[in-house]
Amino acid sequence: MLKVPDHQVAGHQARNGQLGPLIDDSGRFYKPLQDDDRGSKEVAFYSSFSSNTRVPDHIRRLFPVFHGTQLLEASDGSGLRPHLVLEDVVSSRSHPSVMDIKIGSRTWYPEASEDYIQRCFKKDRETSSLSLGFRISGLQVYGNEESGFWKPERKLVQNLSAADVRVVLKKFVSSNLPVDPNSDPDCSFAASVYGGSTGILAQLLELKAWFEDQTMYHLNSCSVLLVYEKEKVLKGERSDAEVKLIDFAHVTEGKDIIDHNFLGGLCSLIKFISEILTSPDECTTKACLRDSEKDKEILTSPDESTTKVCLQDSDKNTNYSENGTIEGM
Amino acid sequence: MLKVPDHQVAGHQARNGQLGPLIDDSGRFYKPLQDDDRGSKEVAFYSSFSSNTRVPDHIRRLFPVFHGTQLLEASDGSGLRPHLVLEDVVSSRSHPSVMDIKIGSRTWYPEASEDYIQRCFKKDRETSSLSLGFRISGLQVYGNEESGFWKPERKLVQNLSAADVRVVLKKFVSSNLPVDPNSDPDCSFAASVYGGSTGILAQLLELKAWFEDQTMYHLNSCSVLLVYEKEKVLKGERSDAEVKLIDFAHVTEGKDIIDHNFLGGLCSLIKFISEILTSPDECTTKACLRDSEKDKEILTSPDESTTKVCLQDSDKNTNYSENGTIEGM
């Protein structure tokens, strides 16, 4: 019996008669192929990657397992449609905290159509991709049985400042409720989720080392998914924190050049996560101070009640000049 | 007595009544401040950087020493003009081989004017910046007393393919004459110039490690200069190969974010140079095979005689599909 995934945080969703991915009870994720060439490109990537003997095992496990394609009834009622059959990366978890981060300051690529290039160019500038080298495409953070998930809207998280991203990455690994605007994220799970020899940082560093060398694929517009189960950490069990790369509809051949765009963005994300691990004292930063310039608010609706959560670091009062140039440093 | 530099390979030149940099006999390089804000931005960067105690010594030595500014007669006869006073990085060399490589797949930055952004966006796509993450802005390679320097025109080197860049990087460290289209670059200086604990690769790797961490400066549109003296290597003396960063008119503040654009491009360059060191067998590749697709020729004029030098690796016959997508890999 196929159903709509509970823990999808970004991308097209199969709700309300829309076309989107489905899952089953055996841990498989069915992603419908889109009509344009994106679907066939993603199949081509998975086919190439899954049979590529030059991909080392410790890198392969950072990608969902590929089980081919299958004709299935599409979620929008349009009839049979080919679907990618993939590993459902959250199937073994009951309350996964998930973050989808689209990597790269540039989501377009030379081989794309001029129309696509211009649309991406505009969006990369409007979101945090250009400045940070990545943008958060979606997230859910589990609070507890009562509060459920904190799941801010996509358009509210994809253009966060560096300070805001830092707060979100802290909230992602904190024991206090992410929806509470007055509580400081305590980062109490940072060491077990981000840190350690098998934690998220270690996995991202393995990925980085591979991207410094591999010239086979350019993962344009691809995301890394960060996943872990809060309850496991609370029980003192070994963290099951995982990094998975997803969304390969825009992959191109590397042509003997490394994917410097993905690598640069990945290094930027690594720097943010490293700082949380190396500067735990900064985790006592007050998490909610109104950003006076932009008057930004992040509205979320957990359990249908609307909660305001402002994302602003308070201890970063650096004064930058309007145009970002160096003035009297 | 100020004079026009002999070994400048890129940028505005102080010849024929044009405004450009001058040098003296004491090893100083005088760079005129331009009328727009580029001059003042570069002064601001050098002032900040030279007094920044957070810059470690092994990184500081990769930048020209800054001696303040000075009012001097401009080379275009327009009268007194403030000049940056810098270390002349080639002053101690008689026949330096020099390569100027502008780092980054993107030379524009969010704080720039829309006009500047659009011009850079266009140029980055027209040159190899977008695909390689860097472009060669100019170079000169010393042959011998008779042949002098091989100094291809700027517009011919700034849009090289990956294969062409590989050939140029090999010619840069080869003992056979770079102007000879029929000779394979022998890479006989690769180990002493690129390799070793003090070679160019080691210096680039130090720079890379710093860029993975530093969030103070974004070096937009900045170049790395690779410099060495062939005659020293021929005499068996220790190589004096040096990396120097230059051109800081577009530096912006890092705002707690690493310079992922510079870092990505730098990693791409590092990969090219590493490959030359780790695959010396590929140095026997025939260096001149006409690129049939583009019919590209590089015309140079050493000693006023015109020599055709085709830059094309012959052993890379990978077939890529037209739009660069993965087909049957």
Side-chain angles (χ1 to χ4, degrees), chain A residues 41 108 111 114 121 125 131-133 166 208 212-213 253 255 260 264 271 320 323-325, chain B residues 41 108 111 114 121 125 131-133 208 212-213 253 255 260 264 271 320 323-325:
Chain A
K41 278 188 183 178
W108 56 276
E111 299 89 345
E114 192 58 34
F121 178 67
R125 292 177 69 182
S131 57
L132 302 183
R166 204 163 280 124
K208 167 176 173 266
E212 286 171 352
D213 187 55
E253 288 177 331
K255 299 182 182 175
H260 43 84
K271 171 69 175 171
Y320 296 117
N323 59 1
T325 53
Chain B
K41 278 188 182 177
W108 56 277
E111 299 89 344
E114 192 58 34
F121 179 66
R125 292 177 68 182
S131 57
L132 303 183
K208 168 177 173 264
E212 287 172 352
D213 188 55
E253 288 176 331
K255 298 182 184 176
H260 43 84
K271 171 69 175 172
Y320 296 117
N323 60 1
T325 53

mmCIF file of all heavy atoms in Angstrom, chain A residues 41 108 111 114 121 125 131-133 166 208 212-213 253 255 260 264 271 320 323-325, chain B residues 41 108 111 114 121 125 131-133 208 212-213 253 255 260 264 271 320 323-325:
data_model
loop_
_atom_site.group_PDB
_atom_site.id
_atom_site.type_symbol
_atom_site.label_atom_id
_atom_site.label_comp_id
_atom_site.label_asym_id
_atom_site.label_seq_id
_atom_site.Cartn_x
_atom_site.Cartn_y
_atom_site.Cartn_z
ATOM 1 N N LYS A 41 16.941 12.525 -16.737
ATOM 2 C CA LYS A 41 18.298 12.858 -16.274
ATOM 3 C C LYS A 41 18.578 12.219 -14.916
ATOM 4 O O LYS A 41 19.672 11.739 -14.654
ATOM 5 C CB LYS A 41 18.454 14.378 -16.145
ATOM 6 C CG LYS A 41 18.757 15.095 -17.439
ATOM 7 C CD LYS A 41 19.080 16.547 -17.125
ATOM 8 C CE LYS A 41 19.329 17.378 -18.352
ATOM 9 N NZ LYS A 41 19.587 18.795 -17.995
ATOM 10 N N TRP A 108 22.438 26.910 -11.388
ATOM 11 C CA TRP A 108 22.393 26.707 -12.836
ATOM 12 C C TRP A 108 23.755 26.194 -13.304
ATOM 13 O O TRP A 108 24.693 26.076 -12.511
ATOM 14 C CB TRP A 108 22.009 28.004 -13.558
ATOM 15 C CG TRP A 108 22.899 29.175 -13.256
ATOM 16 C CD1 TRP A 108 22.802 30.017 -12.179
ATOM 17 C CD2 TRP A 108 24.022 29.629 -14.020
ATOM 18 N NE1 TRP A 108 23.800 30.958 -12.231
ATOM 19 C CE2 TRP A 108 24.552 30.752 -13.347
ATOM 20 C CE3 TRP A 108 24.619 29.202 -15.205
ATOM 21 C CZ2 TRP A 108 25.673 31.449 -13.830
ATOM 22 C CZ3 TRP A 108 25.727 29.905 -15.684
ATOM 23 C CH2 TRP A 108 26.240 31.005 -14.991
ATOM 24 N N GLU A 111 25.299 24.124 -19.386
ATOM 25 C CA GLU A 111 24.557 23.356 -20.388
ATOM 26 C C GLU A 111 23.052 23.609 -20.332
ATOM 27 O O GLU A 111 22.315 23.121 -21.193
ATOM 28 C CB GLU A 111 24.812 21.856 -20.198
ATOM 29 C CG GLU A 111 26.266 21.426 -20.352
ATOM 30 C CD GLU A 111 27.049 21.501 -19.044
ATOM 31 O OE1 GLU A 111 26.569 22.142 -18.084
ATOM 32 O OE2 GLU A 111 28.145 20.917 -18.994
ATOM 33 N N GLU A 114 18.847 28.971 -21.576
ATOM 34 C CA GLU A 114 19.009 30.355 -21.127
ATOM 35 C C GLU A 114 17.890 30.742 -20.156
ATOM 36 O O GLU A 114 18.129 31.444 -19.162
ATOM 37 C CB GLU A 114 19.026 31.301 -22.332
ATOM 38 C CG GLU A 114 19.472 32.720 -22.021
ATOM 39 C CD GLU A 114 20.870 32.797 -21.407
ATOM 40 O OE1 GLU A 114 21.742 31.976 -21.770
ATOM 41 O OE2 GLU A 114 21.089 33.672 -20.537
ATOM 42 N N PHE A 121 19.585 32.137 -11.710
ATOM 43 C CA PHE A 121 20.441 33.285 -11.388
ATOM 44 C C PHE A 121 19.683 34.244 -10.464
ATOM 45 O O PHE A 121 20.205 34.710 -9.447
ATOM 46 C CB PHE A 121 20.830 33.976 -12.703
ATOM 47 C CG PHE A 121 21.684 35.205 -12.556
ATOM 48 C CD1 PHE A 121 22.981 35.112 -12.083
ATOM 49 C CD2 PHE A 121 21.196 36.458 -12.920
ATOM 50 C CE1 PHE A 121 23.778 36.250 -11.965
ATOM 51 C CE2 PHE A 121 21.987 37.592 -12.803
ATOM 52 C CZ PHE A 121 23.277 37.489 -12.320
ATOM 53 N N ARG A 125 20.208 34.731 -6.205
ATOM 54 C CA ARG A 125 20.482 36.048 -5.623
ATOM 55 C C ARG A 125 19.439 36.420 -4.580
ATOM 56 O O ARG A 125 19.733 37.163 -3.644
ATOM 57 C CB ARG A 125 20.516 37.117 -6.724
ATOM 58 C CG ARG A 125 21.706 36.977 -7.663
ATOM 59 C CD ARG A 125 21.669 38.001 -8.785
ATOM 60 N NE ARG A 125 21.912 39.349 -8.298
ATOM 61 C CZ ARG A 125 21.894 40.434 -9.065
ATOM 62 N NH1 ARG A 125 21.650 40.318 -10.361
ATOM 63 N NH2 ARG A 125 22.122 41.619 -8.553
ATOM 64 N N SER A 131 25.113 34.164 -1.113
ATOM 65 C CA SER A 131 26.003 34.613 -0.040
ATOM 66 C C SER A 131 26.591 33.447 0.754
ATOM 67 O O SER A 131 27.785 33.436 1.039
ATOM 68 C CB SER A 131 25.263 35.569 0.896
ATOM 69 O OG SER A 131 24.107 34.942 1.406
ATOM 70 N N LEU A 132 25.779 32.455 1.088
ATOM 71 C CA LEU A 132 26.259 31.376 1.959
ATOM 72 C C LEU A 132 26.890 30.216 1.195
ATOM 73 O O LEU A 132 27.653 29.439 1.757
ATOM 74 C CB LEU A 132 25.113 30.809 2.801
ATOM 75 C CG LEU A 132 24.340 31.768 3.705
ATOM 76 C CD1 LEU A 132 23.306 30.987 4.497
ATOM 77 C CD2 LEU A 132 25.281 32.507 4.647
ATOM 78 N N GLY A 133 26.526 30.075 -0.089
ATOM 79 C CA GLY A 133 26.989 28.908 -0.835
ATOM 80 C C GLY A 133 26.024 27.737 -0.696
ATOM 81 O O GLY A 133 26.282 26.650 -1.204
ATOM 82 N N ARG A 166 22.879 29.986 11.541
ATOM 83 C CA ARG A 166 23.570 29.485 12.733
ATOM 84 C C ARG A 166 22.546 29.082 13.806
ATOM 85 O O ARG A 166 22.671 28.029 14.430
ATOM 86 C CB ARG A 166 24.511 30.593 13.241
ATOM 87 C CG ARG A 166 25.680 30.111 14.052
ATOM 88 C CD ARG A 166 26.750 31.189 14.156
ATOM 89 N NE ARG A 166 27.568 31.250 12.959
ATOM 90 C CZ ARG A 166 27.745 32.334 12.213
ATOM 91 N NH1 ARG A 166 27.174 33.468 12.545
ATOM 92 N NH2 ARG A 166 28.502 32.286 11.137
ATOM 93 N N LYS A 208 33.511 15.940 1.320
ATOM 94 C CA LYS A 208 34.391 17.020 0.862
ATOM 95 C C LYS A 208 35.661 16.454 0.222
ATOM 96 O O LYS A 208 36.063 16.883 -0.869
ATOM 97 C CB LYS A 208 34.750 17.919 2.048
ATOM 98 C CG LYS A 208 35.889 18.889 1.807
ATOM 99 C CD LYS A 208 36.097 19.791 3.017
ATOM 100 C CE LYS A 208 37.331 20.660 2.880
ATOM 101 N NZ LYS A 208 38.529 20.055 3.498
ATOM 102 N N GLU A 212 36.940 16.988 -3.686
ATOM 103 C CA GLU A 212 38.223 17.609 -4.045
ATOM 104 C C GLU A 212 38.917 16.821 -5.151
ATOM 105 O O GLU A 212 39.829 17.315 -5.799
ATOM 106 C CB GLU A 212 39.140 17.680 -2.815
ATOM 107 C CG GLU A 212 38.706 18.744 -1.828
ATOM 108 C CD GLU A 212 39.475 18.689 -0.517
ATOM 109 O OE1 GLU A 212 40.250 17.728 -0.311
ATOM 110 O OE2 GLU A 212 39.289 19.589 0.299
ATOM 111 N N ASP A 213 38.467 15.602 -5.339
ATOM 112 C CA ASP A 213 39.158 14.719 -6.272
ATOM 113 C C ASP A 213 38.314 14.267 -7.462
ATOM 114 O O ASP A 213 38.815 14.189 -8.581
ATOM 115 C CB ASP A 213 39.644 13.487 -5.497
ATOM 116 C CG ASP A 213 40.526 12.609 -6.357
ATOM 117 O OD1 ASP A 213 41.524 13.132 -6.885
ATOM 118 O OD2 ASP A 213 40.215 11.422 -6.519
ATOM 119 N N GLU A 253 27.960 15.915 -16.530
ATOM 120 C CA GLU A 253 29.266 15.251 -16.491
ATOM 121 C C GLU A 253 30.347 16.219 -16.035
ATOM 122 O O GLU A 253 30.309 17.405 -16.363
ATOM 123 C CB GLU A 253 29.616 14.735 -17.885
ATOM 124 C CG GLU A 253 28.785 13.548 -18.298
ATOM 125 C CD GLU A 253 29.097 13.115 -19.712
ATOM 126 O OE1 GLU A 253 29.500 13.968 -20.528
ATOM 127 O OE2 GLU A 253 28.940 11.923 -20.003
ATOM 128 N N LYS A 255 33.582 16.235 -16.869
ATOM 129 C CA LYS A 255 34.532 16.598 -17.932
ATOM 130 C C LYS A 255 35.915 16.959 -17.397
ATOM 131 O O LYS A 255 36.486 18.000 -17.753
ATOM 132 C CB LYS A 255 33.986 17.773 -18.762
ATOM 133 C CG LYS A 255 32.677 17.459 -19.464
ATOM 134 C CD LYS A 255 32.228 18.651 -20.306
ATOM 135 C CE LYS A 255 30.891 18.363 -20.965
ATOM 136 N NZ LYS A 255 30.357 19.512 -21.692
ATOM 137 N N HIS A 260 33.559 22.461 -8.428
ATOM 138 C CA HIS A 260 34.024 23.507 -7.503
ATOM 139 C C HIS A 260 32.870 24.288 -6.900
ATOM 140 O O HIS A 260 33.008 24.857 -5.818
ATOM 141 C CB HIS A 260 35.009 24.448 -8.211
ATOM 142 C CG HIS A 260 34.602 24.848 -9.593
ATOM 143 N ND1 HIS A 260 33.739 25.875 -9.831
ATOM 144 C CD2 HIS A 260 34.924 24.330 -10.806
ATOM 145 C CE1 HIS A 260 33.551 25.981 -11.148
ATOM 146 N NE2 HIS A 260 34.258 25.053 -11.763
ATOM 147 N N GLY A 264 32.636 24.297 -2.897
ATOM 148 C CA GLY A 264 32.691 25.564 -2.164
ATOM 149 C C GLY A 264 31.528 25.691 -1.194
ATOM 150 O O GLY A 264 31.703 26.063 -0.028
ATOM 151 N N LYS A 271 31.923 24.704 7.637
ATOM 152 C CA LYS A 271 32.431 25.742 8.543
ATOM 153 C C LYS A 271 31.375 26.118 9.592
ATOM 154 O O LYS A 271 31.689 26.251 10.780
ATOM 155 C CB LYS A 271 32.851 26.956 7.715
ATOM 156 C CG LYS A 271 33.203 28.198 8.502
ATOM 157 C CD LYS A 271 34.487 28.056 9.303
ATOM 158 C CE LYS A 271 34.834 29.392 9.969
ATOM 159 N NZ LYS A 271 35.940 29.242 10.917
ATOM 160 N N TYR A 320 28.843 46.451 9.521
ATOM 161 C CA TYR A 320 29.373 46.407 8.172
ATOM 162 C C TYR A 320 28.886 47.638 7.438
ATOM 163 O O TYR A 320 27.794 48.132 7.675
ATOM 164 C CB TYR A 320 28.894 45.155 7.445
ATOM 165 C CG TYR A 320 29.400 43.888 8.075
ATOM 166 C CD1 TYR A 320 28.524 42.972 8.627
ATOM 167 C CD2 TYR A 320 30.765 43.629 8.135
ATOM 168 C CE1 TYR A 320 28.993 41.813 9.213
ATOM 169 C CE2 TYR A 320 31.237 42.471 8.719
ATOM 170 C CZ TYR A 320 30.348 41.569 9.258
ATOM 171 O OH TYR A 320 30.811 40.422 9.828
ATOM 172 N N ASN A 323 27.774 48.765 1.585
ATOM 173 C CA ASN A 323 28.105 47.983 0.404
ATOM 174 C C ASN A 323 29.071 46.841 0.698
ATOM 175 O O ASN A 323 29.590 46.220 -0.209
ATOM 176 C CB ASN A 323 28.667 48.888 -0.701
ATOM 177 C CG ASN A 323 29.903 49.611 -0.240
ATOM 178 O OD1 ASN A 323 30.342 49.411 0.896
ATOM 179 N ND2 ASN A 323 30.471 50.427 -1.103
ATOM 180 N N GLY A 324 29.311 46.578 1.967
ATOM 181 C CA GLY A 324 30.104 45.405 2.317
ATOM 182 C C GLY A 324 31.593 45.556 2.095
ATOM 183 O O GLY A 324 32.329 44.591 2.176
ATOM 184 N N THR A 325 32.054 46.751 1.804
ATOM 185 C CA THR A 325 33.490 46.908 1.604
ATOM 186 C C THR A 325 34.180 47.080 2.951
ATOM 187 O O THR A 325 33.532 47.276 3.971
ATOM 188 C CB THR A 325 33.793 48.126 0.716
ATOM 189 O OG1 THR A 325 33.141 49.257 1.284
ATOM 190 C CG2 THR A 325 33.270 47.897 -0.684
ATOM 191 N N LYS B 41 39.389 51.049 -2.564
ATOM 192 C CA LYS B 41 39.079 49.729 -2.001
ATOM 193 C C LYS B 41 40.345 48.899 -1.834
ATOM 194 O O LYS B 41 40.507 48.182 -0.850
ATOM 195 C CB LYS B 41 38.119 48.968 -2.928
ATOM 196 C CG LYS B 41 36.663 49.343 -2.768
ATOM 197 C CD LYS B 41 35.821 48.382 -3.598
ATOM 198 C CE LYS B 41 34.353 48.699 -3.542
ATOM 199 N NZ LYS B 41 33.584 47.787 -4.428
ATOM 200 N N TRP B 108 31.931 38.536 -9.881
ATOM 201 C CA TRP B 108 31.084 39.586 -9.299
ATOM 202 C C TRP B 108 30.695 39.184 -7.882
ATOM 203 O O TRP B 108 31.036 38.096 -7.421
ATOM 204 C CB TRP B 108 29.845 39.818 -10.171
ATOM 205 C CG TRP B 108 29.012 38.596 -10.427
ATOM 206 C CD1 TRP B 108 29.217 37.644 -11.385
ATOM 207 C CD2 TRP B 108 27.855 38.174 -9.697
ATOM 208 N NE1 TRP B 108 28.260 36.666 -11.301
ATOM 209 C CE2 TRP B 108 27.406 36.970 -10.281
ATOM 210 C CE3 TRP B 108 27.148 38.709 -8.618
ATOM 211 C CZ2 TRP B 108 26.283 36.279 -9.808
ATOM 212 C CZ3 TRP B 108 26.031 38.022 -8.157
ATOM 213 C CH2 TRP B 108 25.611 36.821 -8.750
ATOM 214 N N GLU B 111 27.416 42.880 -3.512
ATOM 215 C CA GLU B 111 27.452 44.309 -3.197
ATOM 216 C C GLU B 111 27.782 45.178 -4.410
ATOM 217 O O GLU B 111 27.737 46.407 -4.326
ATOM 218 C CB GLU B 111 28.493 44.582 -2.100
ATOM 219 C CG GLU B 111 28.237 43.880 -0.775
ATOM 220 C CD GLU B 111 28.861 42.483 -0.706
ATOM 221 O OE1 GLU B 111 29.231 41.940 -1.776
ATOM 222 O OE2 GLU B 111 28.958 41.944 0.406
ATOM 223 N N GLU B 114 24.629 46.751 -10.376
ATOM 224 C CA GLU B 114 23.971 45.831 -11.310
ATOM 225 C C GLU B 114 24.720 45.792 -12.646
ATOM 226 O O GLU B 114 24.868 44.733 -13.259
ATOM 227 C CB GLU B 114 22.510 46.254 -11.516
ATOM 228 C CG GLU B 114 21.654 45.221 -12.231
ATOM 229 C CD GLU B 114 21.602 43.862 -11.522
ATOM 230 O OE1 GLU B 114 21.640 43.831 -10.275
ATOM 231 O OE2 GLU B 114 21.545 42.833 -12.222
ATOM 232 N N PHE B 121 29.111 38.680 -15.133
ATOM 233 C CA PHE B 121 28.317 37.472 -15.397
ATOM 234 C C PHE B 121 28.546 37.013 -16.836
ATOM 235 O O PHE B 121 28.781 35.832 -17.113
ATOM 236 C CB PHE B 121 26.838 37.808 -15.145
ATOM 237 C CG PHE B 121 25.867 36.682 -15.404
ATOM 238 C CD1 PHE B 121 25.874 35.544 -14.616
ATOM 239 C CD2 PHE B 121 24.926 36.778 -16.427
ATOM 240 C CE1 PHE B 121 24.968 34.513 -14.845
ATOM 241 C CE2 PHE B 121 24.021 35.749 -16.659
ATOM 242 C CZ PHE B 121 24.042 34.619 -15.871
ATOM 243 N N ARG B 125 30.992 33.711 -18.179
ATOM 244 C CA ARG B 125 30.436 32.658 -19.034
ATOM 245 C C ARG B 125 31.216 32.535 -20.333
ATOM 246 O O ARG B 125 31.283 31.454 -20.925
ATOM 247 C CB ARG B 125 28.962 32.946 -19.345
ATOM 248 C CG ARG B 125 28.064 32.835 -18.126
ATOM 249 C CD ARG B 125 26.623 33.193 -18.453
ATOM 250 N NE ARG B 125 25.998 32.208 -19.335
ATOM 251 C CZ ARG B 125 24.756 32.308 -19.798
ATOM 252 N NH1 ARG B 125 24.004 33.341 -19.461
ATOM 253 N NH2 ARG B 125 24.256 31.378 -20.582
ATOM 254 N N SER B 131 33.410 27.376 -16.090
ATOM 255 C CA SER B 131 33.582 25.926 -16.122
ATOM 256 C C SER B 131 34.718 25.454 -15.217
ATOM 257 O O SER B 131 34.568 24.482 -14.485
ATOM 258 C CB SER B 131 33.819 25.452 -17.558
ATOM 259 O OG SER B 131 34.931 26.115 -18.108
ATOM 260 N N LEU B 132 35.854 26.148 -15.245
ATOM 261 C CA LEU B 132 37.015 25.670 -14.488
ATOM 262 C C LEU B 132 37.068 26.189 -13.056
ATOM 263 O O LEU B 132 37.744 25.617 -12.207
ATOM 264 C CB LEU B 132 38.315 26.093 -15.186
ATOM 265 C CG LEU B 132 38.536 25.661 -16.635
ATOM 266 C CD1 LEU B 132 39.906 26.127 -17.111
ATOM 267 C CD2 LEU B 132 38.414 24.154 -16.779
ATOM 268 N N GLY B 133 36.396 27.314 -12.802
ATOM 269 C CA GLY B 133 36.516 27.931 -11.483
ATOM 270 C C GLY B 133 37.671 28.920 -11.429
ATOM 271 O O GLY B 133 37.965 29.491 -10.381
ATOM 272 N N LYS B 208 44.621 27.093 0.717
ATOM 273 C CA LYS B 208 43.324 26.400 0.768
ATOM 274 C C LYS B 208 42.880 26.186 2.219
ATOM 275 O O LYS B 208 41.727 26.468 2.574
ATOM 276 C CB LYS B 208 43.444 25.061 0.047
ATOM 277 C CG LYS B 208 42.285 24.103 0.263
ATOM 278 C CD LYS B 208 42.468 22.832 -0.554
ATOM 279 C CE LYS B 208 41.429 21.787 -0.225
ATOM 280 N NZ LYS B 208 41.909 20.796 0.759
ATOM 281 N N GLU B 212 39.456 27.671 4.029
ATOM 282 C CA GLU B 212 38.416 26.825 4.624
ATOM 283 C C GLU B 212 37.971 27.374 5.969
ATOM 284 O O GLU B 212 36.927 27.001 6.491
ATOM 285 C CB GLU B 212 38.942 25.389 4.808
ATOM 286 C CG GLU B 212 39.051 24.642 3.495
ATOM 287 C CD GLU B 212 39.756 23.304 3.629
ATOM 288 O OE1 GLU B 212 40.301 23.018 4.722
ATOM 289 O OE2 GLU B 212 39.779 22.558 2.650
ATOM 290 N N ASP B 213 38.778 28.254 6.513
ATOM 291 C CA ASP B 213 38.514 28.734 7.865
ATOM 292 C C ASP B 213 38.246 30.236 7.963
ATOM 293 O O ASP B 213 37.386 30.666 8.722
ATOM 294 C CB ASP B 213 39.717 28.372 8.747
ATOM 295 C CG ASP B 213 39.445 28.672 10.204
ATOM 296 O OD1 ASP B 213 38.437 28.166 10.719
ATOM 297 O OD2 ASP B 213 40.217 29.433 10.814
ATOM 298 N N GLU B 253 34.002 42.353 2.727
ATOM 299 C CA GLU B 253 34.076 41.714 4.043
ATOM 300 C C GLU B 253 33.433 40.337 4.011
ATOM 301 O O GLU B 253 32.439 40.125 3.315
ATOM 302 C CB GLU B 253 33.355 42.576 5.071
ATOM 303 C CG GLU B 253 34.107 43.844 5.408
ATOM 304 C CD GLU B 253 33.317 44.719 6.369
ATOM 305 O OE1 GLU B 253 32.077 44.656 6.345
ATOM 306 O OE2 GLU B 253 33.952 45.456 7.123
ATOM 307 N N LYS B 255 31.881 38.738 6.488
ATOM 308 C CA LYS B 255 30.629 38.657 7.260
ATOM 309 C C LYS B 255 30.360 37.255 7.800
ATOM 310 O O LYS B 255 29.251 36.715 7.629
ATOM 311 C CB LYS B 255 29.446 39.110 6.393
ATOM 312 C CG LYS B 255 29.546 40.552 5.924
ATOM 313 C CD LYS B 255 28.315 40.944 5.113
ATOM 314 C CE LYS B 255 28.461 42.358 4.568
ATOM 315 N NZ LYS B 255 27.349 42.741 3.703
ATOM 316 N N HIS B 260 33.587 30.935 -0.304
ATOM 317 C CA HIS B 260 33.388 29.636 -0.964
ATOM 318 C C HIS B 260 33.632 29.713 -2.463
ATOM 319 O O HIS B 260 33.949 28.710 -3.097
ATOM 320 C CB HIS B 260 31.993 29.086 -0.667
ATOM 321 C CG HIS B 260 30.890 30.097 -0.757
ATOM 322 N ND1 HIS B 260 30.299 30.435 -1.942
ATOM 323 C CD2 HIS B 260 30.310 30.874 0.197
ATOM 324 C CE1 HIS B 260 29.379 31.363 -1.707
ATOM 325 N NE2 HIS B 260 29.362 31.659 -0.415
ATOM 326 N N GLY B 264 36.448 27.264 -3.930
ATOM 327 C CA GLY B 264 36.102 26.280 -4.957
ATOM 328 C C GLY B 264 37.034 26.371 -6.158
ATOM 329 O O GLY B 264 37.539 25.362 -6.655
ATOM 330 N N LYS B 271 43.642 20.752 -8.114
ATOM 331 C CA LYS B 271 43.429 19.436 -8.729
ATOM 332 C C LYS B 271 44.216 19.317 -10.043
ATOM 333 O O LYS B 271 44.860 18.290 -10.297
ATOM 334 C CB LYS B 271 41.930 19.236 -8.958
ATOM 335 C CG LYS B 271 41.550 18.027 -9.783
ATOM 336 C CD LYS B 271 41.806 16.707 -9.069
ATOM 337 C CE LYS B 271 41.286 15.550 -9.920
ATOM 338 N NZ LYS B 271 41.687 14.252 -9.365
ATOM 339 N N TYR B 320 31.475 13.285 -24.876
ATOM 340 C CA TYR B 320 30.416 13.831 -24.054
ATOM 341 C C TYR B 320 29.243 14.162 -24.954
ATOM 342 O O TYR B 320 29.418 14.537 -26.102
ATOM 343 C CB TYR B 320 30.882 15.098 -23.339
ATOM 344 C CG TYR B 320 31.993 14.844 -22.377
ATOM 345 C CD1 TYR B 320 33.240 15.419 -22.556
ATOM 346 C CD2 TYR B 320 31.789 14.001 -21.291
ATOM 347 C CE1 TYR B 320 34.266 15.170 -21.666
ATOM 348 C CE2 TYR B 320 32.814 13.753 -20.395
ATOM 349 C CZ TYR B 320 34.051 14.337 -20.587
ATOM 350 O OH TYR B 320 35.055 14.095 -19.699
ATOM 351 N N ASN B 323 24.816 18.292 -24.613
ATOM 352 C CA ASN B 323 24.409 19.141 -23.496
ATOM 353 C C ASN B 323 25.069 18.748 -22.182
ATOM 354 O O ASN B 323 24.703 19.242 -21.130
ATOM 355 C CB ASN B 323 22.887 19.138 -23.347
ATOM 356 C CG ASN B 323 22.356 17.751 -23.094
ATOM 357 O OD1 ASN B 323 23.136 16.800 -23.018
ATOM 358 N ND2 ASN B 323 21.056 17.629 -22.957
ATOM 359 N N GLY B 324 26.046 17.865 -22.250
ATOM 360 C CA GLY B 324 26.818 17.564 -21.050
ATOM 361 C C GLY B 324 26.111 16.670 -20.050
ATOM 362 O O GLY B 324 26.582 16.495 -18.946
ATOM 363 N N THR B 325 24.985 16.107 -20.414
ATOM 364 C CA THR B 325 24.311 15.233 -19.457
ATOM 365 C C THR B 325 24.916 13.837 -19.530
ATOM 366 O O THR B 325 25.675 13.518 -20.438
ATOM 367 C CB THR B 325 22.806 15.160 -19.753
ATOM 368 O OG1 THR B 325 22.645 14.793 -21.121
ATOM 369 C CG2 THR B 325 22.155 16.500 -19.516
#
